[in-house]
Amino acid sequence: MKSNLAYRFELKPNNVQRTHFAKCAGAARFAWNWGLDERRRLFREKQGHERLTNAIEQHRRLNALKKTNFPWMYEVSKCVPQVALQNLDNAYALYRKGRKAGRKVRLPKFKKKGRARDAFAFTTGAIRAEGTHVILPRIGRVRAKEPAVLDGRILRATVTRDADRWFVSFTVVQEVKDSQLPTGSAVGVDLGVSHMSTLSDGRVFENPRPLHSRVRKIRRLTRDLHRRLEGSNNRRKAADRLAKEYLHIGNIRKDALHKATTCLAKNHSEIVIEDLNVQGMVTNRHLARAISDVGFGEFHRQLEYKCRWYGSHLTVAPRFYPSTKRCSSCGHVGDKMPLSKRIYECESCGLVLDRDMNAALNLVAVSSTETLNAGGDLASTTPPRASRAGSMKQEMNAVIPHGIGG
Ligand SMILES: [Zn+2]
């Protein structure tokens, strides 16, 4: 079976390379904005026909203008604006798809310097990983913070900046060998706010809730930022401090989620989760911060690809399955439980059980009755050797690599 994987490494660029990275990010942002501007103009002129142009046509037109209007673009690989225009194309395709499905979607927006995350990508040219170095088109050898080891054919290299640190993410396609399915039993997983997840076998994954403990620090840093004069050096420094804090929070959260989802997907033949309408839940103002802090959506996303990766089944309980209201012992469905009520008490059989545990047991009960395979493909896969080095370093991208903002 062939699958797409992404490997991410932190880079240690020198000053010349940093400047070049910034130029590439600028060219990508420029191409995106130029393409978006043209699309909007065409839309106005042709009154509503969105599918007027595509990335290939736009790249041809941009190239024709390069010589006379944008000579500075010759400093970066031609691949950079090309990929940015492809990303714009993908963004429009997502928009059309979302609208067709009746979802609330927004049109692609212009990218403002300092607002959108700096990013650019290469799909052709000299892209390699060699020991402690990474080789990129027009830039050459860039030092990596740790040995960059990867197998497979590289499809794409995306360079991003996070709080003044540069990262490269390689999308590779590799052949993965068939192996045995995980042999562990089925497990129900209840996601919660007090514990990140409660398992039907009694285990609990705790929730680091990084934002919760840092709300005051974030507030202080934000206040600090807005006190500084716009455009000043001190304001830039304050913005860097805030960005660094957010990056740190994100890393703590991601690490905990990766540990939990890897453990589940690797050791259980079937995992049953709730169909959480996360978007709907986050619009509840009181729950919003707690839920974003736990990262429910990210939990689902990771479980989905890791189950496919390790060859385990992911079962999503039906939308309105009463996992919290139902008694896991006798099946009696009680009244709605307010969030403050932490203990489940059954009126019918007298069962008294922790609320989350009861829900997890109800979920695992679904495994034998309903089996919707979220992965779609039952073929088992072995994780590549390098994957055991650390869960945060790489992820498998389900179908297409995420489009980067130009
Ligand atoms: Zn009962």
Side-chain angles (χ1 to χ4, degrees), residues 304-330:
E304 215 167 275
Y305 79 71
K306 283 182 188 176
C307 281
R308 207 170 311 145
W309 194 356
Y310 291 108
S312 45
H313 249 287
L314 181 67
T315 302
V316 179
R319 199 48 132 344
F320 298 107
Y321 181 63
S323 60
T324 39
K325 289 186 285 185
R326 184 179 178 270
C327 169
S328 57
S329 172
C330 72

PDB file of all heavy atoms in Angstrom, residues 304-330:
ATOM      1  N   GLU A 304      -8.038   9.487  13.309  1.00  0.00           N
ATOM      2  CA  GLU A 304      -8.460   9.015  12.008  1.00  0.00           C
ATOM      3  C   GLU A 304      -7.262   8.557  11.176  1.00  0.00           C
ATOM      4  O   GLU A 304      -7.257   7.459  10.646  1.00  0.00           O
ATOM      5  CB  GLU A 304      -9.191  10.152  11.294  1.00  0.00           C
ATOM      6  CG  GLU A 304     -10.329   9.690  10.441  1.00  0.00           C
ATOM      7  CD  GLU A 304     -11.176  10.867  10.024  1.00  0.00           C
ATOM      8  OE1 GLU A 304     -12.066  11.278  10.790  1.00  0.00           O
ATOM      9  OE2 GLU A 304     -10.898  11.404   8.942  1.00  0.00           O
ATOM     10  N   TYR A 305      -6.249   9.397  11.084  1.00  0.00           N
ATOM     11  CA  TYR A 305      -5.126   8.981  10.242  1.00  0.00           C
ATOM     12  C   TYR A 305      -4.260   7.933  10.902  1.00  0.00           C
ATOM     13  O   TYR A 305      -3.710   7.060  10.245  1.00  0.00           O
ATOM     14  CB  TYR A 305      -4.336  10.175   9.715  1.00  0.00           C
ATOM     15  CG  TYR A 305      -3.352  10.850  10.655  1.00  0.00           C
ATOM     16  CD1 TYR A 305      -2.162  10.227  11.023  1.00  0.00           C
ATOM     17  CD2 TYR A 305      -3.578  12.136  11.118  1.00  0.00           C
ATOM     18  CE1 TYR A 305      -1.259  10.856  11.845  1.00  0.00           C
ATOM     19  CE2 TYR A 305      -2.676  12.775  11.949  1.00  0.00           C
ATOM     20  CZ  TYR A 305      -1.520  12.122  12.308  1.00  0.00           C
ATOM     21  OH  TYR A 305      -0.632  12.750  13.121  1.00  0.00           O
ATOM     22  N   LYS A 306      -4.168   7.957  12.230  1.00  0.00           N
ATOM     23  CA  LYS A 306      -3.327   6.961  12.892  1.00  0.00           C
ATOM     24  C   LYS A 306      -3.970   5.575  12.840  1.00  0.00           C
ATOM     25  O   LYS A 306      -3.281   4.573  12.753  1.00  0.00           O
ATOM     26  CB  LYS A 306      -3.043   7.367  14.338  1.00  0.00           C
ATOM     27  CG  LYS A 306      -1.981   8.462  14.393  1.00  0.00           C
ATOM     28  CD  LYS A 306      -1.634   8.868  15.792  1.00  0.00           C
ATOM     29  CE  LYS A 306      -0.720  10.084  15.742  1.00  0.00           C
ATOM     30  NZ  LYS A 306      -0.415  10.600  17.077  1.00  0.00           N
ATOM     31  N   CYS A 307      -5.306   5.531  12.897  1.00  0.00           N
ATOM     32  CA  CYS A 307      -5.989   4.246  12.783  1.00  0.00           C
ATOM     33  C   CYS A 307      -5.736   3.656  11.405  1.00  0.00           C
ATOM     34  O   CYS A 307      -5.507   2.451  11.260  1.00  0.00           O
ATOM     35  CB  CYS A 307      -7.490   4.399  13.006  1.00  0.00           C
ATOM     36  SG  CYS A 307      -7.902   4.520  14.745  1.00  0.00           S
ATOM     37  N   ARG A 308      -5.760   4.507  10.410  1.00  0.00           N
ATOM     38  CA  ARG A 308      -5.502   4.014   9.066  1.00  0.00           C
ATOM     39  C   ARG A 308      -4.052   3.541   8.976  1.00  0.00           C
ATOM     40  O   ARG A 308      -3.729   2.558   8.352  1.00  0.00           O
ATOM     41  CB  ARG A 308      -5.759   5.138   8.062  1.00  0.00           C
ATOM     42  CG  ARG A 308      -6.154   4.617   6.710  1.00  0.00           C
ATOM     43  CD  ARG A 308      -6.621   5.749   5.834  1.00  0.00           C
ATOM     44  NE  ARG A 308      -7.598   6.592   6.490  1.00  0.00           N
ATOM     45  CZ  ARG A 308      -7.680   7.900   6.308  1.00  0.00           C
ATOM     46  NH1 ARG A 308      -6.839   8.505   5.510  1.00  0.00           N
ATOM     47  NH2 ARG A 308      -8.595   8.603   6.919  1.00  0.00           N
ATOM     48  N   TRP A 309      -3.214   4.276   9.645  1.00  0.00           N
ATOM     49  CA  TRP A 309      -1.782   4.000   9.635  1.00  0.00           C
ATOM     50  C   TRP A 309      -1.465   2.673  10.316  1.00  0.00           C
ATOM     51  O   TRP A 309      -0.747   1.828   9.799  1.00  0.00           O
ATOM     52  CB  TRP A 309      -1.112   5.165  10.358  1.00  0.00           C
ATOM     53  CG  TRP A 309       0.354   5.269  10.200  1.00  0.00           C
ATOM     54  CD1 TRP A 309       1.178   4.401   9.551  1.00  0.00           C
ATOM     55  CD2 TRP A 309       1.160   6.331  10.706  1.00  0.00           C
ATOM     56  NE1 TRP A 309       2.453   4.865   9.629  1.00  0.00           N
ATOM     57  CE2 TRP A 309       2.481   6.031  10.324  1.00  0.00           C
ATOM     58  CE3 TRP A 309       0.909   7.481  11.438  1.00  0.00           C
ATOM     59  CZ2 TRP A 309       3.541   6.861  10.662  1.00  0.00           C
ATOM     60  CZ3 TRP A 309       1.964   8.292  11.761  1.00  0.00           C
ATOM     61  CH2 TRP A 309       3.258   7.995  11.375  1.00  0.00           C
ATOM     62  N   TYR A 310      -2.012   2.463  11.512  1.00  0.00           N
ATOM     63  CA  TYR A 310      -1.694   1.251  12.264  1.00  0.00           C
ATOM     64  C   TYR A 310      -2.648   0.104  11.948  1.00  0.00           C
ATOM     65  O   TYR A 310      -2.489  -0.985  12.470  1.00  0.00           O
ATOM     66  CB  TYR A 310      -1.724   1.543  13.774  1.00  0.00           C
ATOM     67  CG  TYR A 310      -0.605   2.436  14.235  1.00  0.00           C
ATOM     68  CD1 TYR A 310      -0.851   3.752  14.604  1.00  0.00           C
ATOM     69  CD2 TYR A 310       0.704   1.966  14.296  1.00  0.00           C
ATOM     70  CE1 TYR A 310       0.172   4.582  15.025  1.00  0.00           C
ATOM     71  CE2 TYR A 310       1.737   2.788  14.713  1.00  0.00           C
ATOM     72  CZ  TYR A 310       1.473   4.088  15.079  1.00  0.00           C
ATOM     73  OH  TYR A 310       2.486   4.909  15.495  1.00  0.00           O
ATOM     74  N   GLY A 311      -3.651   0.369  11.157  1.00  0.00           N
ATOM     75  CA  GLY A 311      -4.560  -0.692  10.764  1.00  0.00           C
ATOM     76  C   GLY A 311      -5.623  -1.036  11.782  1.00  0.00           C
ATOM     77  O   GLY A 311      -6.111  -2.153  11.833  1.00  0.00           O
ATOM     78  N   SER A 312      -6.004  -0.078  12.619  1.00  0.00           N
ATOM     79  CA  SER A 312      -7.104  -0.358  13.541  1.00  0.00           C
ATOM     80  C   SER A 312      -8.382   0.307  13.028  1.00  0.00           C
ATOM     81  O   SER A 312      -8.344   1.173  12.191  1.00  0.00           O
ATOM     82  CB  SER A 312      -6.750   0.123  14.947  1.00  0.00           C
ATOM     83  OG  SER A 312      -6.189   1.406  14.906  1.00  0.00           O
ATOM     84  N   HIS A 313      -9.491  -0.143  13.583  1.00  0.00           N
ATOM     85  CA  HIS A 313     -10.803   0.350  13.176  1.00  0.00           C
ATOM     86  C   HIS A 313     -11.170   1.601  13.958  1.00  0.00           C
ATOM     87  O   HIS A 313     -11.026   1.606  15.174  1.00  0.00           O
ATOM     88  CB  HIS A 313     -11.844  -0.683  13.600  1.00  0.00           C
ATOM     89  CG  HIS A 313     -12.469  -1.382  12.462  1.00  0.00           C
ATOM     90  ND1 HIS A 313     -13.364  -0.774  11.640  1.00  0.00           N
ATOM     91  CD2 HIS A 313     -12.332  -2.653  12.025  1.00  0.00           C
ATOM     92  CE1 HIS A 313     -13.762  -1.653  10.739  1.00  0.00           C
ATOM     93  NE2 HIS A 313     -13.143  -2.797  10.944  1.00  0.00           N
ATOM     94  N   LEU A 314     -11.692   2.604  13.310  1.00  0.00           N
ATOM     95  CA  LEU A 314     -12.229   3.737  14.054  1.00  0.00           C
ATOM     96  C   LEU A 314     -13.735   3.754  13.839  1.00  0.00           C
ATOM     97  O   LEU A 314     -14.204   3.832  12.718  1.00  0.00           O
ATOM     98  CB  LEU A 314     -11.603   5.050  13.587  1.00  0.00           C
ATOM     99  CG  LEU A 314     -12.095   6.288  14.332  1.00  0.00           C
ATOM    100  CD1 LEU A 314     -11.640   6.249  15.778  1.00  0.00           C
ATOM    101  CD2 LEU A 314     -11.570   7.557  13.676  1.00  0.00           C
ATOM    102  N   THR A 315     -14.472   3.644  14.916  1.00  0.00           N
ATOM    103  CA  THR A 315     -15.924   3.660  14.805  1.00  0.00           C
ATOM    104  C   THR A 315     -16.447   4.939  15.439  1.00  0.00           C
ATOM    105  O   THR A 315     -16.063   5.274  16.557  1.00  0.00           O
ATOM    106  CB  THR A 315     -16.527   2.443  15.533  1.00  0.00           C
ATOM    107  OG1 THR A 315     -15.973   1.262  14.958  1.00  0.00           O
ATOM    108  CG2 THR A 315     -18.032   2.421  15.404  1.00  0.00           C
ATOM    109  N   VAL A 316     -17.279   5.645  14.691  1.00  0.00           N
ATOM    110  CA  VAL A 316     -17.873   6.851  15.245  1.00  0.00           C
ATOM    111  C   VAL A 316     -19.314   6.516  15.608  1.00  0.00           C
ATOM    112  O   VAL A 316     -20.077   6.048  14.769  1.00  0.00           O
ATOM    113  CB  VAL A 316     -17.829   8.012  14.233  1.00  0.00           C
ATOM    114  CG1 VAL A 316     -18.482   9.249  14.809  1.00  0.00           C
ATOM    115  CG2 VAL A 316     -16.389   8.308  13.831  1.00  0.00           C
ATOM    116  N   ALA A 317     -19.670   6.735  16.871  1.00  0.00           N
ATOM    117  CA  ALA A 317     -21.028   6.435  17.315  1.00  0.00           C
ATOM    118  C   ALA A 317     -22.013   7.333  16.565  1.00  0.00           C
ATOM    119  O   ALA A 317     -21.669   8.432  16.183  1.00  0.00           O
ATOM    120  CB  ALA A 317     -21.147   6.667  18.819  1.00  0.00           C
ATOM    121  N   PRO A 318     -23.238   6.876  16.357  1.00  0.00           N
ATOM    122  CA  PRO A 318     -24.219   7.682  15.644  1.00  0.00           C
ATOM    123  C   PRO A 318     -24.404   9.055  16.295  1.00  0.00           C
ATOM    124  O   PRO A 318     -24.262   9.185  17.512  1.00  0.00           O
ATOM    125  CB  PRO A 318     -25.508   6.877  15.739  1.00  0.00           C
ATOM    126  CG  PRO A 318     -25.087   5.496  16.037  1.00  0.00           C
ATOM    127  CD  PRO A 318     -23.781   5.570  16.738  1.00  0.00           C
ATOM    128  N   ARG A 319     -24.737  10.021  15.492  1.00  0.00           N
ATOM    129  CA  ARG A 319     -24.826  11.420  15.923  1.00  0.00           C
ATOM    130  C   ARG A 319     -25.544  11.631  17.255  1.00  0.00           C
ATOM    131  O   ARG A 319     -25.072  12.281  18.153  1.00  0.00           O
ATOM    132  CB  ARG A 319     -25.566  12.185  14.816  1.00  0.00           C
ATOM    133  CG  ARG A 319     -25.454  13.670  14.733  1.00  0.00           C
ATOM    134  CD  ARG A 319     -24.554  14.440  14.767  1.00  0.00           C
ATOM    135  NE  ARG A 319     -23.672  15.443  14.543  1.00  0.00           N
ATOM    136  CZ  ARG A 319     -23.492  16.164  13.486  1.00  0.00           C
ATOM    137  NH1 ARG A 319     -24.160  15.948  12.397  1.00  0.00           N
ATOM    138  NH2 ARG A 319     -22.611  17.103  13.477  1.00  0.00           N
ATOM    139  N   PHE A 320     -26.726  11.043  17.378  1.00  0.00           N
ATOM    140  CA  PHE A 320     -27.521  11.330  18.574  1.00  0.00           C
ATOM    141  C   PHE A 320     -27.544  10.165  19.569  1.00  0.00           C
ATOM    142  O   PHE A 320     -28.457  10.021  20.369  1.00  0.00           O
ATOM    143  CB  PHE A 320     -28.940  11.753  18.184  1.00  0.00           C
ATOM    144  CG  PHE A 320     -28.933  13.019  17.375  1.00  0.00           C
ATOM    145  CD1 PHE A 320     -29.190  12.999  16.008  1.00  0.00           C
ATOM    146  CD2 PHE A 320     -28.616  14.233  17.980  1.00  0.00           C
ATOM    147  CE1 PHE A 320     -29.138  14.172  15.265  1.00  0.00           C
ATOM    148  CE2 PHE A 320     -28.567  15.410  17.246  1.00  0.00           C
ATOM    149  CZ  PHE A 320     -28.826  15.372  15.891  1.00  0.00           C
ATOM    150  N   TYR A 321     -26.520   9.347  19.524  1.00  0.00           N
ATOM    151  CA  TYR A 321     -26.397   8.244  20.462  1.00  0.00           C
ATOM    152  C   TYR A 321     -26.262   8.806  21.881  1.00  0.00           C
ATOM    153  O   TYR A 321     -25.391   9.633  22.141  1.00  0.00           O
ATOM    154  CB  TYR A 321     -25.175   7.409  20.093  1.00  0.00           C
ATOM    155  CG  TYR A 321     -24.946   6.217  20.991  1.00  0.00           C
ATOM    156  CD1 TYR A 321     -25.881   5.191  21.052  1.00  0.00           C
ATOM    157  CD2 TYR A 321     -23.793   6.119  21.748  1.00  0.00           C
ATOM    158  CE1 TYR A 321     -25.664   4.101  21.870  1.00  0.00           C
ATOM    159  CE2 TYR A 321     -23.568   5.018  22.567  1.00  0.00           C
ATOM    160  CZ  TYR A 321     -24.511   4.017  22.627  1.00  0.00           C
ATOM    161  OH  TYR A 321     -24.295   2.939  23.436  1.00  0.00           O
ATOM    162  N   PRO A 322     -27.150   8.396  22.819  1.00  0.00           N
ATOM    163  CA  PRO A 322     -27.133   9.033  24.152  1.00  0.00           C
ATOM    164  C   PRO A 322     -26.031   8.485  25.056  1.00  0.00           C
ATOM    165  O   PRO A 322     -26.321   7.877  26.083  1.00  0.00           O
ATOM    166  CB  PRO A 322     -28.521   8.700  24.696  1.00  0.00           C
ATOM    167  CG  PRO A 322     -28.882   7.412  24.028  1.00  0.00           C
ATOM    168  CD  PRO A 322     -28.218   7.396  22.691  1.00  0.00           C
ATOM    169  N   SER A 323     -24.786   8.700  24.716  1.00  0.00           N
ATOM    170  CA  SER A 323     -23.716   8.048  25.477  1.00  0.00           C
ATOM    171  C   SER A 323     -23.625   8.534  26.919  1.00  0.00           C
ATOM    172  O   SER A 323     -23.210   7.785  27.791  1.00  0.00           O
ATOM    173  CB  SER A 323     -22.374   8.221  24.776  1.00  0.00           C
ATOM    174  OG  SER A 323     -22.064   9.575  24.641  1.00  0.00           O
ATOM    175  N   THR A 324     -24.032   9.760  27.196  1.00  0.00           N
ATOM    176  CA  THR A 324     -23.973  10.214  28.592  1.00  0.00           C
ATOM    177  C   THR A 324     -25.259   9.907  29.356  1.00  0.00           C
ATOM    178  O   THR A 324     -25.224   9.704  30.560  1.00  0.00           O
ATOM    179  CB  THR A 324     -23.718  11.741  28.694  1.00  0.00           C
ATOM    180  OG1 THR A 324     -24.449  12.389  27.673  1.00  0.00           O
ATOM    181  CG2 THR A 324     -22.258  12.075  28.574  1.00  0.00           C
ATOM    182  N   LYS A 325     -26.389   9.857  28.638  1.00  0.00           N
ATOM    183  CA  LYS A 325     -27.667   9.671  29.323  1.00  0.00           C
ATOM    184  C   LYS A 325     -28.003   8.212  29.569  1.00  0.00           C
ATOM    185  O   LYS A 325     -28.835   7.877  30.400  1.00  0.00           O
ATOM    186  CB  LYS A 325     -28.801  10.284  28.472  1.00  0.00           C
ATOM    187  CG  LYS A 325     -28.768  11.802  28.446  1.00  0.00           C
ATOM    188  CD  LYS A 325     -29.971  12.361  27.737  1.00  0.00           C
ATOM    189  CE  LYS A 325     -29.875  12.196  26.227  1.00  0.00           C
ATOM    190  NZ  LYS A 325     -30.991  12.837  25.518  1.00  0.00           N
ATOM    191  N   ARG A 326     -27.350   7.325  28.814  1.00  0.00           N
ATOM    192  CA  ARG A 326     -27.708   5.910  28.866  1.00  0.00           C
ATOM    193  C   ARG A 326     -26.976   5.213  30.015  1.00  0.00           C
ATOM    194  O   ARG A 326     -25.840   5.544  30.328  1.00  0.00           O
ATOM    195  CB  ARG A 326     -27.305   5.275  27.534  1.00  0.00           C
ATOM    196  CG  ARG A 326     -27.686   3.836  27.359  1.00  0.00           C
ATOM    197  CD  ARG A 326     -27.234   3.371  25.968  1.00  0.00           C
ATOM    198  NE  ARG A 326     -27.527   1.967  25.767  1.00  0.00           N
ATOM    199  CZ  ARG A 326     -26.700   0.977  26.075  1.00  0.00           C
ATOM    200  NH1 ARG A 326     -25.515   1.238  26.597  1.00  0.00           N
ATOM    201  NH2 ARG A 326     -27.044  -0.284  25.859  1.00  0.00           N
ATOM    202  N   CYS A 327     -27.648   4.238  30.630  1.00  0.00           N
ATOM    203  CA  CYS A 327     -26.993   3.444  31.670  1.00  0.00           C
ATOM    204  C   CYS A 327     -26.202   2.335  30.991  1.00  0.00           C
ATOM    205  O   CYS A 327     -26.749   1.584  30.183  1.00  0.00           O
ATOM    206  CB  CYS A 327     -28.036   2.837  32.607  1.00  0.00           C
ATOM    207  SG  CYS A 327     -27.328   1.587  33.705  1.00  0.00           S
ATOM    208  N   SER A 328     -24.919   2.239  31.313  1.00  0.00           N
ATOM    209  CA  SER A 328     -24.068   1.261  30.628  1.00  0.00           C
ATOM    210  C   SER A 328     -24.331  -0.154  31.129  1.00  0.00           C
ATOM    211  O   SER A 328     -23.866  -1.118  30.544  1.00  0.00           O
ATOM    212  CB  SER A 328     -22.595   1.620  30.823  1.00  0.00           C
ATOM    213  OG  SER A 328     -22.299   1.679  32.205  1.00  0.00           O
ATOM    214  N   SER A 329     -25.099  -0.263  32.220  1.00  0.00           N
ATOM    215  CA  SER A 329     -25.358  -1.594  32.770  1.00  0.00           C
ATOM    216  C   SER A 329     -26.678  -2.181  32.251  1.00  0.00           C
ATOM    217  O   SER A 329     -26.714  -3.298  31.765  1.00  0.00           O
ATOM    218  CB  SER A 329     -25.380  -1.511  34.290  1.00  0.00           C
ATOM    219  OG  SER A 329     -25.798  -2.723  34.832  1.00  0.00           O
ATOM    220  N   CYS A 330     -27.763  -1.380  32.317  1.00  0.00           N
ATOM    221  CA  CYS A 330     -29.061  -1.944  31.916  1.00  0.00           C
ATOM    222  C   CYS A 330     -29.625  -1.325  30.638  1.00  0.00           C
ATOM    223  O   CYS A 330     -30.623  -1.798  30.106  1.00  0.00           O
ATOM    224  CB  CYS A 330     -30.075  -1.806  33.054  1.00  0.00           C
ATOM    225  SG  CYS A 330     -30.623  -0.113  33.327  1.00  0.00           S
TER     226      CYS A 330
END
